[in-house]
Amino acid sequence: MKQRTDQVVPFVLVAVFTIVVQGLSLMEFLPLPVALLIGAAWAVIVGLAARWASRGPTRSAWVEDSLVALGCVTMALFAFGGAVGLLMLGTALDSSSITGETMVTMFLPSIPIAIAANVPTELVILPGLLILGWRPGTRRVLYVTAAALYFVHRIWTYLVFAPDRLDFAAAERSTAALTPAEKEQFAAALHVDDPRWILNLVIFAVLLLSAFFSRLREVKDPVAAAPRRTRDI
């Protein structure tokens, strides 16, 4: 019974994670039922792919460790890139001659950077790690923690930040210097006090920590890796 539960739980978590995150992401462009259906379909696809990868111990270990490495890269890009971007935008608003056109132009490059970090993380990396890493040990705790934090992050983003920033990206690009009142409006629209970069940094740290518990090393040398495993977590 316990073995059956251990097989089902990660797929349920991946389904909830993917359906909610993708539903929120796509509802701007599609009716909500269609967005949720697409999220469910992707959950099935990524679940089957992870299940296939898990059938070979060495292949599973390579895929898992590769996803951890890729997750560290994407979250580092998001955490540090986001922090630097907010710092630049906040500093630009202190200029007495900054224009709306310049602010919008400075902001636009952050959109493809966010997409490059978010898309692989929410579609492949975290769902794949939840399934491939669902075994007793430290890594499972770290994967669940990273996925839970990222889940909160995405809900927070779509409900609070995304609408304002998308509207800002489409704003009129005035070449006149911003007035103090306009600067306040821009700061509010951009959420220059956005604390999400801290959450991104925590997720990055969790994934980086999981990299020290290499699944590939454990498969190749179980005796050497044994002291690193945490029993029945």
PDB file of all heavy atoms in Angstrom, residues 204-231:
ATOM      1  N   PHE A 204      16.760  29.195  -5.679  1.00  0.00           N
ATOM      2  CA  PHE A 204      18.085  28.915  -6.246  1.00  0.00           C
ATOM      3  C   PHE A 204      18.969  28.219  -5.213  1.00  0.00           C
ATOM      4  O   PHE A 204      19.641  27.225  -5.527  1.00  0.00           O
ATOM      5  CB  PHE A 204      18.737  30.220  -6.706  1.00  0.00           C
ATOM      6  CG  PHE A 204      20.214  30.119  -6.951  1.00  0.00           C
ATOM      7  CD1 PHE A 204      20.712  29.389  -8.016  1.00  0.00           C
ATOM      8  CD2 PHE A 204      21.110  30.750  -6.093  1.00  0.00           C
ATOM      9  CE1 PHE A 204      22.081  29.293  -8.238  1.00  0.00           C
ATOM     10  CE2 PHE A 204      22.474  30.651  -6.306  1.00  0.00           C
ATOM     11  CZ  PHE A 204      22.965  29.925  -7.380  1.00  0.00           C
ATOM     12  N   ALA A 205      18.968  28.718  -3.970  1.00  0.00           N
ATOM     13  CA  ALA A 205      19.799  28.124  -2.923  1.00  0.00           C
ATOM     14  C   ALA A 205      19.375  26.690  -2.620  1.00  0.00           C
ATOM     15  O   ALA A 205      20.224  25.812  -2.400  1.00  0.00           O
ATOM     16  CB  ALA A 205      19.718  28.981  -1.656  1.00  0.00           C
ATOM     17  N   VAL A 206      18.077  26.436  -2.625  1.00  0.00           N
ATOM     18  CA  VAL A 206      17.575  25.077  -2.357  1.00  0.00           C
ATOM     19  C   VAL A 206      18.020  24.119  -3.457  1.00  0.00           C
ATOM     20  O   VAL A 206      18.495  23.006  -3.182  1.00  0.00           O
ATOM     21  CB  VAL A 206      16.035  25.093  -2.233  1.00  0.00           C
ATOM     22  CG1 VAL A 206      15.490  23.661  -2.164  1.00  0.00           C
ATOM     23  CG2 VAL A 206      15.599  25.859  -0.990  1.00  0.00           C
ATOM     24  N   LEU A 207      17.890  24.541  -4.715  1.00  0.00           N
ATOM     25  CA  LEU A 207      18.318  23.683  -5.820  1.00  0.00           C
ATOM     26  C   LEU A 207      19.831  23.497  -5.826  1.00  0.00           C
ATOM     27  O   LEU A 207      20.334  22.399  -6.117  1.00  0.00           O
ATOM     28  CB  LEU A 207      17.863  24.282  -7.152  1.00  0.00           C
ATOM     29  CG  LEU A 207      16.354  24.217  -7.427  1.00  0.00           C
ATOM     30  CD1 LEU A 207      16.023  24.941  -8.722  1.00  0.00           C
ATOM     31  CD2 LEU A 207      15.874  22.773  -7.492  1.00  0.00           C
ATOM     32  N   LEU A 208      20.565  24.551  -5.488  1.00  0.00           N
ATOM     33  CA  LEU A 208      22.024  24.451  -5.427  1.00  0.00           C
ATOM     34  C   LEU A 208      22.436  23.462  -4.339  1.00  0.00           C
ATOM     35  O   LEU A 208      23.361  22.661  -4.529  1.00  0.00           O
ATOM     36  CB  LEU A 208      22.631  25.823  -5.157  1.00  0.00           C
ATOM     37  CG  LEU A 208      24.164  25.895  -5.160  1.00  0.00           C
ATOM     38  CD1 LEU A 208      24.720  25.520  -6.529  1.00  0.00           C
ATOM     39  CD2 LEU A 208      24.637  27.292  -4.768  1.00  0.00           C
ATOM     40  N   LEU A 209      21.747  23.499  -3.211  1.00  0.00           N
ATOM     41  CA  LEU A 209      22.042  22.554  -2.135  1.00  0.00           C
ATOM     42  C   LEU A 209      21.773  21.120  -2.584  1.00  0.00           C
ATOM     43  O   LEU A 209      22.543  20.206  -2.262  1.00  0.00           O
ATOM     44  CB  LEU A 209      21.198  22.895  -0.905  1.00  0.00           C
ATOM     45  CG  LEU A 209      21.376  21.989   0.322  1.00  0.00           C
ATOM     46  CD1 LEU A 209      22.819  22.020   0.813  1.00  0.00           C
ATOM     47  CD2 LEU A 209      20.429  22.422   1.437  1.00  0.00           C
ATOM     48  N   SER A 210      20.697  20.926  -3.346  1.00  0.00           N
ATOM     49  CA  SER A 210      20.383  19.571  -3.808  1.00  0.00           C
ATOM     50  C   SER A 210      21.449  19.030  -4.752  1.00  0.00           C
ATOM     51  O   SER A 210      21.601  17.811  -4.895  1.00  0.00           O
ATOM     52  CB  SER A 210      19.011  19.550  -4.490  1.00  0.00           C
ATOM     53  OG  SER A 210      19.044  20.183  -5.756  1.00  0.00           O
ATOM     54  N   ALA A 211      22.203  19.925  -5.399  1.00  0.00           N
ATOM     55  CA  ALA A 211      23.255  19.480  -6.309  1.00  0.00           C
ATOM     56  C   ALA A 211      24.372  18.734  -5.576  1.00  0.00           C
ATOM     57  O   ALA A 211      25.102  17.936  -6.180  1.00  0.00           O
ATOM     58  CB  ALA A 211      23.836  20.676  -7.065  1.00  0.00           C
ATOM     59  N   PHE A 212      24.510  18.963  -4.286  1.00  0.00           N
ATOM     60  CA  PHE A 212      25.550  18.297  -3.506  1.00  0.00           C
ATOM     61  C   PHE A 212      25.177  16.850  -3.187  1.00  0.00           C
ATOM     62  O   PHE A 212      26.014  16.090  -2.693  1.00  0.00           O
ATOM     63  CB  PHE A 212      25.834  19.065  -2.219  1.00  0.00           C
ATOM     64  CG  PHE A 212      26.536  20.373  -2.447  1.00  0.00           C
ATOM     65  CD1 PHE A 212      25.809  21.546  -2.603  1.00  0.00           C
ATOM     66  CD2 PHE A 212      27.918  20.436  -2.537  1.00  0.00           C
ATOM     67  CE1 PHE A 212      26.443  22.753  -2.825  1.00  0.00           C
ATOM     68  CE2 PHE A 212      28.568  21.645  -2.756  1.00  0.00           C
ATOM     69  CZ  PHE A 212      27.824  22.806  -2.907  1.00  0.00           C
ATOM     70  N   PHE A 213      23.927  16.475  -3.439  1.00  0.00           N
ATOM     71  CA  PHE A 213      23.477  15.107  -3.186  1.00  0.00           C
ATOM     72  C   PHE A 213      23.275  14.412  -4.539  1.00  0.00           C
ATOM     73  O   PHE A 213      22.153  14.076  -4.916  1.00  0.00           O
ATOM     74  CB  PHE A 213      22.187  15.105  -2.363  1.00  0.00           C
ATOM     75  CG  PHE A 213      22.337  15.744  -1.017  1.00  0.00           C
ATOM     76  CD1 PHE A 213      22.142  17.116  -0.863  1.00  0.00           C
ATOM     77  CD2 PHE A 213      22.700  14.998   0.091  1.00  0.00           C
ATOM     78  CE1 PHE A 213      22.284  17.719   0.380  1.00  0.00           C
ATOM     79  CE2 PHE A 213      22.852  15.591   1.334  1.00  0.00           C
ATOM     80  CZ  PHE A 213      22.652  16.958   1.484  1.00  0.00           C
ATOM     81  N   SER A 214      24.359  14.250  -5.261  1.00  0.00           N
ATOM     82  CA  SER A 214      24.306  13.756  -6.627  1.00  0.00           C
ATOM     83  C   SER A 214      23.688  12.363  -6.716  1.00  0.00           C
ATOM     84  O   SER A 214      24.152  11.417  -6.069  1.00  0.00           O
ATOM     85  CB  SER A 214      25.713  13.713  -7.230  1.00  0.00           C
ATOM     86  OG  SER A 214      25.702  13.064  -8.475  1.00  0.00           O
ATOM     87  N   ARG A 215      22.658  12.237  -7.511  1.00  0.00           N
ATOM     88  CA  ARG A 215      22.028  10.939  -7.749  1.00  0.00           C
ATOM     89  C   ARG A 215      22.948  10.045  -8.567  1.00  0.00           C
ATOM     90  O   ARG A 215      23.027   8.834  -8.339  1.00  0.00           O
ATOM     91  CB  ARG A 215      20.694  11.146  -8.473  1.00  0.00           C
ATOM     92  CG  ARG A 215      19.990   9.857  -8.869  1.00  0.00           C
ATOM     93  CD  ARG A 215      19.607   9.040  -7.674  1.00  0.00           C
ATOM     94  NE  ARG A 215      18.823   7.883  -8.075  1.00  0.00           N
ATOM     95  CZ  ARG A 215      18.661   6.814  -7.330  1.00  0.00           C
ATOM     96  NH1 ARG A 215      19.246   6.727  -6.148  1.00  0.00           N
ATOM     97  NH2 ARG A 215      17.911   5.796  -7.752  1.00  0.00           N
ATOM     98  N   LEU A 216      23.673  10.627  -9.515  1.00  0.00           N
ATOM     99  CA  LEU A 216      24.575   9.838 -10.349  1.00  0.00           C
ATOM    100  C   LEU A 216      25.696   9.242  -9.509  1.00  0.00           C
ATOM    101  O   LEU A 216      26.064   8.070  -9.691  1.00  0.00           O
ATOM    102  CB  LEU A 216      25.145  10.719 -11.465  1.00  0.00           C
ATOM    103  CG  LEU A 216      25.949   9.998 -12.546  1.00  0.00           C
ATOM    104  CD1 LEU A 216      25.080   8.970 -13.265  1.00  0.00           C
ATOM    105  CD2 LEU A 216      26.518  11.002 -13.538  1.00  0.00           C
ATOM    106  N   ARG A 217      26.253  10.011  -8.595  1.00  0.00           N
ATOM    107  CA  ARG A 217      27.301   9.496  -7.717  1.00  0.00           C
ATOM    108  C   ARG A 217      26.751   8.378  -6.828  1.00  0.00           C
ATOM    109  O   ARG A 217      27.423   7.380  -6.568  1.00  0.00           O
ATOM    110  CB  ARG A 217      27.862  10.632  -6.859  1.00  0.00           C
ATOM    111  CG  ARG A 217      28.986  10.178  -5.932  1.00  0.00           C
ATOM    112  CD  ARG A 217      29.660  11.338  -5.223  1.00  0.00           C
ATOM    113  NE  ARG A 217      28.717  12.088  -4.406  1.00  0.00           N
ATOM    114  CZ  ARG A 217      28.388  13.354  -4.619  1.00  0.00           C
ATOM    115  NH1 ARG A 217      28.925  14.005  -5.638  1.00  0.00           N
ATOM    116  NH2 ARG A 217      27.544  13.973  -3.824  1.00  0.00           N
ATOM    117  N   GLU A 218      25.510   8.551  -6.413  1.00  0.00           N
ATOM    118  CA  GLU A 218      24.878   7.542  -5.570  1.00  0.00           C
ATOM    119  C   GLU A 218      24.683   6.232  -6.316  1.00  0.00           C
ATOM    120  O   GLU A 218      24.888   5.146  -5.772  1.00  0.00           O
ATOM    121  CB  GLU A 218      23.520   8.073  -5.096  1.00  0.00           C
ATOM    122  CG  GLU A 218      22.780   7.155  -4.145  1.00  0.00           C
ATOM    123  CD  GLU A 218      21.461   7.761  -3.711  1.00  0.00           C
ATOM    124  OE1 GLU A 218      21.434   8.967  -3.397  1.00  0.00           O
ATOM    125  OE2 GLU A 218      20.453   7.039  -3.718  1.00  0.00           O
ATOM    126  N   VAL A 219      24.314   6.327  -7.594  1.00  0.00           N
ATOM    127  CA  VAL A 219      24.105   5.125  -8.401  1.00  0.00           C
ATOM    128  C   VAL A 219      25.430   4.436  -8.707  1.00  0.00           C
ATOM    129  O   VAL A 219      25.538   3.205  -8.646  1.00  0.00           O
ATOM    130  CB  VAL A 219      23.377   5.490  -9.717  1.00  0.00           C
ATOM    131  CG1 VAL A 219      23.397   4.324 -10.691  1.00  0.00           C
ATOM    132  CG2 VAL A 219      21.940   5.901  -9.424  1.00  0.00           C
ATOM    133  N   LYS A 220      26.455   5.221  -9.022  1.00  0.00           N
ATOM    134  CA  LYS A 220      27.747   4.650  -9.404  1.00  0.00           C
ATOM    135  C   LYS A 220      28.525   4.124  -8.206  1.00  0.00           C
ATOM    136  O   LYS A 220      29.277   3.150  -8.326  1.00  0.00           O
ATOM    137  CB  LYS A 220      28.582   5.701 -10.146  1.00  0.00           C
ATOM    138  CG  LYS A 220      28.059   6.008 -11.539  1.00  0.00           C
ATOM    139  CD  LYS A 220      29.004   6.942 -12.275  1.00  0.00           C
ATOM    140  CE  LYS A 220      28.578   7.133 -13.728  1.00  0.00           C
ATOM    141  NZ  LYS A 220      29.498   8.022 -14.470  1.00  0.00           N
ATOM    142  N   ASP A 221      28.363   4.782  -7.052  1.00  0.00           N
ATOM    143  CA  ASP A 221      29.132   4.377  -5.871  1.00  0.00           C
ATOM    144  C   ASP A 221      28.236   4.479  -4.641  1.00  0.00           C
ATOM    145  O   ASP A 221      28.345   5.424  -3.857  1.00  0.00           O
ATOM    146  CB  ASP A 221      30.367   5.266  -5.719  1.00  0.00           C
ATOM    147  CG  ASP A 221      31.356   4.720  -4.698  1.00  0.00           C
ATOM    148  OD1 ASP A 221      31.025   3.706  -4.044  1.00  0.00           O
ATOM    149  OD2 ASP A 221      32.441   5.302  -4.551  1.00  0.00           O
ATOM    150  N   PRO A 222      27.329   3.525  -4.439  1.00  0.00           N
ATOM    151  CA  PRO A 222      26.381   3.589  -3.320  1.00  0.00           C
ATOM    152  C   PRO A 222      27.050   3.652  -1.953  1.00  0.00           C
ATOM    153  O   PRO A 222      26.552   4.304  -1.044  1.00  0.00           O
ATOM    154  CB  PRO A 222      25.577   2.296  -3.477  1.00  0.00           C
ATOM    155  CG  PRO A 222      25.783   1.865  -4.888  1.00  0.00           C
ATOM    156  CD  PRO A 222      27.146   2.331  -5.258  1.00  0.00           C
ATOM    157  N   VAL A 223      28.199   2.975  -1.816  1.00  0.00           N
ATOM    158  CA  VAL A 223      28.880   2.957  -0.518  1.00  0.00           C
ATOM    159  C   VAL A 223      29.400   4.341  -0.160  1.00  0.00           C
ATOM    160  O   VAL A 223      29.228   4.829   0.957  1.00  0.00           O
ATOM    161  CB  VAL A 223      30.042   1.934  -0.535  1.00  0.00           C
ATOM    162  CG1 VAL A 223      30.809   2.000   0.788  1.00  0.00           C
ATOM    163  CG2 VAL A 223      29.504   0.539  -0.785  1.00  0.00           C
ATOM    164  N   ALA A 224      30.041   5.022  -1.127  1.00  0.00           N
ATOM    165  CA  ALA A 224      30.582   6.355  -0.865  1.00  0.00           C
ATOM    166  C   ALA A 224      29.478   7.368  -0.641  1.00  0.00           C
ATOM    167  O   ALA A 224      29.637   8.324   0.122  1.00  0.00           O
ATOM    168  CB  ALA A 224      31.461   6.796  -2.031  1.00  0.00           C
ATOM    169  N   ALA A 225      28.329   7.184  -1.305  1.00  0.00           N
ATOM    170  CA  ALA A 225      27.243   8.136  -1.193  1.00  0.00           C
ATOM    171  C   ALA A 225      26.375   7.913   0.033  1.00  0.00           C
ATOM    172  O   ALA A 225      25.622   8.799   0.434  1.00  0.00           O
ATOM    173  CB  ALA A 225      26.354   8.068  -2.446  1.00  0.00           C
ATOM    174  N   ALA A 226      26.508   6.747   0.667  1.00  0.00           N
ATOM    175  CA  ALA A 226      25.629   6.406   1.790  1.00  0.00           C
ATOM    176  C   ALA A 226      25.627   7.425   2.915  1.00  0.00           C
ATOM    177  O   ALA A 226      24.575   7.772   3.445  1.00  0.00           O
ATOM    178  CB  ALA A 226      25.999   5.027   2.331  1.00  0.00           C
ATOM    179  N   PRO A 227      26.786   7.975   3.354  1.00  0.00           N
ATOM    180  CA  PRO A 227      26.759   8.947   4.449  1.00  0.00           C
ATOM    181  C   PRO A 227      25.997  10.213   4.112  1.00  0.00           C
ATOM    182  O   PRO A 227      25.573  10.937   5.007  1.00  0.00           O
ATOM    183  CB  PRO A 227      28.254   9.258   4.666  1.00  0.00           C
ATOM    184  CG  PRO A 227      28.971   8.084   4.107  1.00  0.00           C
ATOM    185  CD  PRO A 227      28.137   7.639   2.950  1.00  0.00           C
ATOM    186  N   ARG A 228      25.822  10.500   2.818  1.00  0.00           N
ATOM    187  CA  ARG A 228      25.135  11.724   2.421  1.00  0.00           C
ATOM    188  C   ARG A 228      23.623  11.568   2.433  1.00  0.00           C
ATOM    189  O   ARG A 228      22.903  12.532   2.366  1.00  0.00           O
ATOM    190  CB  ARG A 228      25.567  12.147   1.012  1.00  0.00           C
ATOM    191  CG  ARG A 228      26.988  12.642   0.953  1.00  0.00           C
ATOM    192  CD  ARG A 228      27.327  13.045  -0.465  1.00  0.00           C
ATOM    193  NE  ARG A 228      28.630  13.673  -0.531  1.00  0.00           N
ATOM    194  CZ  ARG A 228      28.869  14.943  -0.382  1.00  0.00           C
ATOM    195  NH1 ARG A 228      27.874  15.772  -0.156  1.00  0.00           N
ATOM    196  NH2 ARG A 228      30.088  15.448  -0.478  1.00  0.00           N
ATOM    197  N   ARG A 229      23.124  10.315   2.463  1.00  0.00           N
ATOM    198  CA  ARG A 229      21.689  10.111   2.402  1.00  0.00           C
ATOM    199  C   ARG A 229      21.060  10.302   3.777  1.00  0.00           C
ATOM    200  O   ARG A 229      21.648   9.953   4.809  1.00  0.00           O
ATOM    201  CB  ARG A 229      21.360   8.707   1.868  1.00  0.00           C
ATOM    202  CG  ARG A 229      21.742   8.526   0.427  1.00  0.00           C
ATOM    203  CD  ARG A 229      20.979   7.346  -0.161  1.00  0.00           C
ATOM    204  NE  ARG A 229      21.428   6.095   0.429  1.00  0.00           N
ATOM    205  CZ  ARG A 229      22.340   5.316  -0.110  1.00  0.00           C
ATOM    206  NH1 ARG A 229      22.935   5.656  -1.222  1.00  0.00           N
ATOM    207  NH2 ARG A 229      22.686   4.169   0.464  1.00  0.00           N
ATOM    208  N   THR A 230      19.866  10.808   3.780  1.00  0.00           N
ATOM    209  CA  THR A 230      19.111  10.972   5.019  1.00  0.00           C
ATOM    210  C   THR A 230      18.047   9.885   5.067  1.00  0.00           C
ATOM    211  O   THR A 230      17.275   9.745   4.125  1.00  0.00           O
ATOM    212  CB  THR A 230      18.441  12.354   5.075  1.00  0.00           C
ATOM    213  OG1 THR A 230      19.454  13.334   4.978  1.00  0.00           O
ATOM    214  CG2 THR A 230      17.666  12.552   6.369  1.00  0.00           C
ATOM    215  N   ARG A 231      18.004   9.134   6.137  1.00  0.00           N
ATOM    216  CA  ARG A 231      17.122   7.981   6.195  1.00  0.00           C
ATOM    217  C   ARG A 231      15.671   8.369   6.429  1.00  0.00           C
ATOM    218  O   ARG A 231      15.350   9.113   7.354  1.00  0.00           O
ATOM    219  CB  ARG A 231      17.592   7.052   7.320  1.00  0.00           C
ATOM    220  CG  ARG A 231      16.802   5.747   7.411  1.00  0.00           C
ATOM    221  CD  ARG A 231      17.365   4.859   8.505  1.00  0.00           C
ATOM    222  NE  ARG A 231      18.772   4.520   8.245  1.00  0.00           N
ATOM    223  CZ  ARG A 231      19.511   3.838   9.098  1.00  0.00           C
ATOM    224  NH1 ARG A 231      19.031   3.443  10.258  1.00  0.00           N
ATOM    225  NH2 ARG A 231      20.772   3.585   8.795  1.00  0.00           N
TER     226      ARG A 231
END
